Amino acid sequence: GFKSLEDILNGFKIDIKKGNFPHIWVDKNKLNYIGVKPDIKYYNDNITLDEYNNIPLNNWNFKNNCEKYIIADTKGLFEAIYKFHISCFSKYNLNITDYLTLPSLAMGIFTSNFYNEDHKIKLIKGNVEKEIRTAYFGGMVQVLSDKVINKGYAYDLNSQYPYAMLNDMPIDDPIFSTEKDLNKIFGFVYGTIIPPSEEELRVPLLRTRDEHGITYFPRKPFKQMIFSELIKEALKYGYKFEVEYSYLFKKGKDIFKDYVLLHYNDKQNAKDIVIKSMSKLLLNSLYGKFGMKEIESIIKI
């Protein structure tokens, strides 16, 4: 990804250069400084010796150099934003100034270019939304081994969220049900989760929250709302589950498939860092947008 504005300018192939400025040398007593240029140690790590030597030794003017640096920064960033805007408009017919954040832009891209009206994704409110949200924990990372190895290989699983987005998704209106057969349920189900012993499963898989909202992995039975497909998977590892009630949904197939595959292929085949980074961000931003709380502001005077 991008580490600095300079990376962005280079990635977008923008001719405006950021320049170099001795940030850590500056304090309030030097705002009117004119004299010998600051030592190279005060500049950022990217400056080369040739670049430093090309800066005149004497009559180095703080105000003039600061203005020059800020103007180059601003113009360069504007050019980068404009190029990104042109790219989005030509590809998706969207104006980025209509969106405040990257996740909202990702949602705009999905709804205007990839959303199938036959697969109705519902905005759920009220008590049903509150109950379903208790099953929402976000991503999970666990250390499965405490053994120290001296030699080995490092592996990285890429694009796990986009991969999960290829699964069947709950769509249409939720229907309350007291069906007890878990195999007939697709949606969110409430009941008693009975974890396996430590001998059966050394590292527990399922989480809950205590009265303070702290997430933990219980070893004793606990009641929890959970996504049906997650508890079905946990049963394979020794968990048991007693159903009380559920909210049934229709299965939505390939809801995000076209969106995911397009941006994943863009990321994999990108010839420059810009397309690669933007495709990755758009891939990872959409899924979380669906998990945001719908907060309605009420202003009272």
Side-chain angles (χ1 to χ4, degrees):
F2 302 122
K3 294 180 181 177
S4 66
L5 178 58
E6 191 170 9
D7 287 342
I8 295 174
L9 299 182
N10 291 334
F12 276 98
K13 297 179 175 60
I14 292 169
D15 294 332
I16 298 169
K17 297 301 176 189
K18 244 179 75 96
N20 296 287
F21 191 76
H23 295 91
I24 56 178
W25 171 84
V26 177
D27 60 49
K28 64 181 180 180
N29 299 317
K30 295 170 181 168
L31 301 183
N32 296 309
Y33 177 85
I34 299 174
V36 177
K37 67 180 176 182
D39 191 275
I40 192 172
K41 68 182 179 183
Y42 295 113
Y43 287 82
N44 60 42
D45 296 334
N46 294 330
I47 191 171
T48 65
L49 189 58
D50 286 342
E51 287 172 332
Y52 179 75
N53 289 335
N54 284 333
I55 301 171
L57 178 62
N58 297 310
N59 295 319
W60 190 89
N61 186 305
F62 171 85
K63 183 179 178 183
N64 291 346
N65 279 277
C66 185
E67 286 182 352
K68 183 180 175 182
Y69 181 80
I70 291 171
I71 288 170
D73 249 25
T74 308
K75 285 184 175 179
L77 186 57
F78 173 80
E79 288 292 331
I81 292 172
Y82 182 70
K83 283 198 172 185
F84 176 58
H85 160 71
I86 294 298
S87 173
C88 279
F89 193 80
S90 63
K91 195 167 187 177
Y92 309 113
N93 202 31
L94 293 179
N95 190 336
I96 65 169
T97 56
D98 293 335
Y99 303 92
L100 295 177
T101 63
L102 194 66
S104 65
L105 175 61
M107 180 69 86
I109 290 170
F110 173 73
T111 53
S112 62
N113 289 264
F114 297 93
Y115 182 53
N116 185 344
E117 289 289 346
D118 294 332
H119 298 155
K120 291 182 172 60
I121 301 174
K122 290 300 183 79
L123 180 62
I124 301 166
K125 294 187 178 184
N127 289 329
V128 177
E129 189 269 346
K130 287 180 182 177
E131 279 201 85
I132 289 175
R133 185 165 290 281
T134 62
Y136 187 75
F137 288 89
M140 178 174 68
V141 177
Q142 285 180 282
V143 177
L144 299 177
S145 174
D146 55 5
K147 294 179 181 178
V148 177
I149 59 172
N150 296 318
K151 290 183 179 180
Y153 297 96
Y155 295 94
D156 178 36
L157 297 172
N158 74 82
S159 298
Q160 287 296 286
Y161 277 119
Y163 178 74
M165 290 168 73
L166 298 177
N167 290 327
D168 294 344
M169 293 289 162
I171 62 169
D172 221 328
D173 293 315
I175 299 172
F176 181 83
S177 172
T178 55
E179 171 65 60
K180 295 294 189 283
D181 186 352
L182 190 59
N183 293 318
K184 296 179 180 178
I185 296 171
F186 180 81
F188 293 88
V189 55
Y190 182 84
T192 302
I193 298 173
I194 305 164
S197 66
E198 194 168 351
E199 290 73 32
E200 293 174 278
L201 186 68
R202 189 169 66 86
V203 180
L205 300 174
L206 301 182
R207 295 169 287 177
T208 191
R209 294 181 181 90
D210 64 17
E211 64 273 16
H212 304 294
I214 304 299
T215 301
Y216 71 103
F217 295 81
R219 279 292 182 188
K220 295 179 179 179
F222 62 101
K223 289 181 180 290
Q224 178 71 44
M225 178 73 75
I226 191 168
F227 184 47
S228 59
E229 306 315 284
L230 179 57
I231 189 62
K232 288 173 188 175
E233 191 66 24
L235 296 181
K236 300 174 185 176
Y237 294 88
Y239 277 85
K240 293 181 175 62
F241 188 61
E242 297 171 358
V243 178
E244 290 189 25
Y245 64 89
S246 60
Y247 293 104
L248 304 179
F249 287 83
K250 290 181 181 177
K251 280 187 182 180
K253 302 234 177 239
D254 299 333
I255 300 295
F256 301 113
K257 183 179 178 181
D258 292 341
Y259 179 95
V260 167
L261 293 183
L262 173 74
H263 291 96
Y264 185 79
N265 288 332
D266 284 351
K267 188 185 89 166
Q268 293 298 97
N269 301 321
K271 297 290 191 291
D272 62 68
I273 192 173
V274 173
I275 300 298
K276 188 178 183 73
S277 295
M278 296 316 301
S279 299
K280 183 176 180 178
L281 287 169
L282 288 171
L283 266 178
N284 293 330
S285 296
L286 179 63
Y287 208 22
K289 185 70 176 172
F290 281 99
M292 290 177 65
K293 287 183 180 178
E294 185 74 10
I295 299 174
E296 296 179 348
S297 300
I298 300 173
I299 300 172
K300 290 185 178 180
I301 299 175

